[in-house]
Amino acid sequence: MKWAKPTRIQQEAIPWALQGRDIIGLAETGSGKTGAFALPIVQRLLDDPQRFYAVCLAPTRELCVQIGEQFEAIGSTIKLQTATVVGGLAMVDQAMALAKRPHVVIATPGRLVDHLENTKGFHLKTIKYLVMDEADRLLSMDFDEALDKILEVVPRDRNTFLFSATMTSKVSKLQRASLKKPVKVEVSSKSDTAAGLVQNFMLVPFKFKHTYFAALVAHFIHYAVMVFTDTCLGAQRLSVFLRHMGMKSICLHGQMSQAQRLGALSGFKAKEQRILVCTDVASRGLDVPSVDLVVNYDIPKNSKDYIHRVGRTARAGRSGRAVTMVTQYDVELFQRVEHFLGKKLEEFTELVDTKVKASHERVLEALRSTELELREQDEGTSERAVKRKMHQQKSKGKKGRRR
């Protein structure tokens, strides 16, 4: 896999893992955390071969797919079998993969609970390892119910690994994962960003936000760019807007089907598209080696999410840049992020105001075209929904008459 030497988190965590200790691992994004838990699991599996050996939980579908690929690559020479179990894909196919009794199951908590309750013969009574990647997110409120159900059915005599770039400080939450005398392996502080990352902010009037955004993306014309917004609609709108400005872009958000999401991600990884506009669904754990610039079009409400977003660039020792757009309405949120980082960010001054504002008319025209396109899409979607409903009612009527 061309891994010449272990990263710091791997150096610190792997020896403890091989000794059978529970681990809380804290390291900046892009520092090789997946290897830090996957390598010892595969090693211990070699010493003691067994089906349903480990379960790895992650908060997003894309991250699960990525972890599954890493496990398969590490275990390719020993015919390691994995099953990736996430929402948005057919339960039946996943049930068939689980019926083959893989060594490692990688899953989002909700879908794993679905299979535990509905897939005949599937259980986790024998697992030796439970891994939570992006553990602070998994231990937050969203996954409470599903996580409790999983922790009830896995054996108490197991190893538990929690890994994340930002870890919750609430001991009560960590206790829920029922760790036994865990070793805390910390190679970065609670809010560290990668050393090769240049972080800037851009103070812009709200009225000209789209204009400055278009100028910023055009300024880095040869860069691979990830743009983060707060909402699915916001991501959709910005992606269409960029297209009307003559820039190729693709979007990724939670309301897209799983096939569309994976397609968008692979298109961006393969450099078919230069700009990926996304929500926080893409902020955690995703490893796209070639991201040069991260733009926070909207400032995240939770400062922790800032760390994860900007961690998409400057990974594994590379350099990268992050620019956060701040309007007069965002100052308090931005100050919160700076307070969390424990430092002041420098202002981005490479754009000339007069040049930027000269393109304002063109931007307004692109925005009008964007709104028109989105409205047409909405109308088309609702028309299709009405037709589908009418068709269903007709077919129900026919069945009733036949009876």
Side-chain angles (χ1 to χ4, degrees):
M1 289 177 72
K2 299 190 174 76
W3 292 0
K5 60 180 196 290
T7 63
R8 277 182 67 205
I9 185 71
Q10 289 166 0
Q11 273 176 3
E12 301 275 335
I14 290 173
W16 288 114
L18 292 174
Q19 285 174 39
R21 294 292 294 271
D22 285 3
I23 292 173
I24 297 174
L26 197 58
E28 69 208 18
T29 57
S31 57
K33 289 191 290 293
T34 312
F37 61 75
L39 284 166
I41 287 174
V42 175
Q43 178 64 48
R44 294 292 290 270
L45 180 63
L46 264 176
D47 302 338
D48 175 23
Q50 177 197 307
R51 298 288 177 167
F52 287 131
Y53 192 71
V55 168
C56 181
L57 301 174
T60 68
R61 301 164 182 185
E62 288 72 22
L63 185 50
C64 284
V65 170
Q66 187 177 294
I67 293 168
E69 287 167 356
Q70 290 266 298
F71 264 107
E72 282 177 8
I74 290 168
S76 59
T77 52
I78 59 163
K79 295 191 168 54
L80 180 85
Q81 288 181 335
T82 67
T84 302
V85 171
V86 295
L89 296 173
M91 283 276 286
V92 178
D93 296 346
Q94 292 172 359
M96 283 162 69
L98 292 172
K100 291 177 183 167
R101 301 177 59 73
H103 302 103
V104 182
V105 178
I106 304 101
T108 48
R111 182 47 71 96
L112 186 63
V113 169
D114 286 349
H115 281 289
L116 284 167
E117 290 174 349
N118 302 311
T119 300
K120 208 174 178 183
F122 172 58
H123 62 82
L124 298 174
K125 290 172 188 164
T126 59
I127 69 151
K128 296 282 192 286
Y129 284 91
L130 176 68
V131 182
M132 294 188 200
D133 196 14
E134 302 299 343
D136 60 321
R137 178 83 182 80
L138 286 171
L139 292 165
S140 71
M141 296 302 287
D142 311 4
F143 297 101
D144 265 5
E145 201 180 320
L147 214 51
D148 286 343
K149 286 180 180 174
I150 292 165
L151 289 167
E152 272 172 30
V153 297
V154 293
R156 287 188 177 279
D157 182 24
R158 61 160 199 273
N159 280 119
T160 309
F161 296 161
L162 308 187
F163 279 86
S164 186
T166 53
M167 190 60 79
T168 177
S169 53
K170 292 192 177 83
V171 179
S172 58
K173 284 190 173 178
L174 293 174
Q175 280 172 342
R176 284 188 51 238
S178 44
L179 298 149
K180 295 189 295 292
K181 294 183 186 165
V183 180
K184 190 170 187 185
V185 178
E186 194 170 347
V187 298
S188 71
S189 74
K190 200 171 101 176
S191 53
D192 254 9
T193 49
L197 177 68
V198 178
Q199 299 177 76
N200 299 126
F201 71 93
M202 213 162 98
L203 210 52
V204 301
F206 182 75
K207 182 182 170 186
F208 294 103
K209 192 174 183 183
H210 279 91
T211 312
Y212 275 89
F213 170 66
L216 178 69
V217 176
H219 181 72
F220 291 104
I221 192 75
H222 300 300
Y223 280 35
V225 185
M226 276 181 92
V227 181
F228 284 98
T229 68
D230 276 348
T231 64
C232 299
L233 182 62
Q236 193 79 36
R237 185 175 277 136
L238 266 194
S239 181
V240 174
F241 163 72
L242 284 169
R243 218 172 53 240
H244 284 293
M245 288 296 291
M247 298 181 226
K248 270 188 161 185
S249 81
I250 193 164
C251 71
L252 171 67
H253 57 74
Q255 288 181 358
M256 293 161 67
S257 73
Q258 191 55 31
Q260 286 171 327
R261 280 162 67 165
L262 291 173
L265 198 58
S266 55
F268 183 62
K269 278 183 176 177
K271 300 183 182 177
E272 290 162 14
Q273 304 284 354
R274 186 176 68 83
I275 307 163
L276 180 69
V277 187
C278 47
T279 57
D280 281 319
V281 94
S283 71
R284 282 180 176 259
L286 292 187
D287 186 25
V288 186
S290 57
V291 178
D292 308 303
L293 172 70
V294 167
V295 178
N296 283 308
Y297 182 81
D298 294 321
I299 299 175
K301 303 283 184 286
N302 185 338
S303 303
K304 268 186 192 177
D305 291 333
Y306 174 86
I307 300 275
H308 291 280
R309 285 181 180 189
V310 300
R312 296 314 99 218
T313 184
R315 294 175 75 77
R318 299 183 189 86
S319 59
R321 177 171 237 154
V323 179
T324 300
M325 301 189 75
V326 186
T327 71
Q328 64 269 39
Y329 306 116
D330 306 321
V331 175
E332 193 186 331
L333 267 179
F334 180 64
Q335 285 174 334
R336 233 182 273 168
V337 169
E338 283 190 326
H339 177 70
F340 183 74
L341 293 171
K343 63 180 176 186
K344 294 275 182 202
L345 301 190
E346 287 182 23
E347 189 165 2
F348 182 77
T349 53
E350 290 176 31
L351 297 179
V352 182
D353 283 0
T354 47
K355 278 188 180 176
V356 173
K357 286 179 181 171
S359 64
H360 189 55
E361 283 302 315
R362 189 173 157 232
V363 167
L364 289 175
E365 186 55 47
L367 280 170
R368 280 193 287 273
S369 306
T370 300
E371 291 306 323
L372 203 65
E373 186 176 323
L374 288 171
R375 201 175 303 139
E376 282 170 2
Q377 277 179 13
D378 274 358
E379 283 166 6
T381 307
S382 52
E383 263 180 45
R384 280 196 296 276
V386 169
K387 280 180 183 171
R388 201 178 301 123
K389 209 169 184 183
M390 284 168 68
H391 179 70
Q392 282 169 352
Q393 283 171 347
K394 271 185 188 172
S395 56
K396 271 183 190 171
K398 280 179 187 170
K399 278 177 191 170
R401 284 200 295 277
R402 276 182 210 137
R403 282 190 198 125

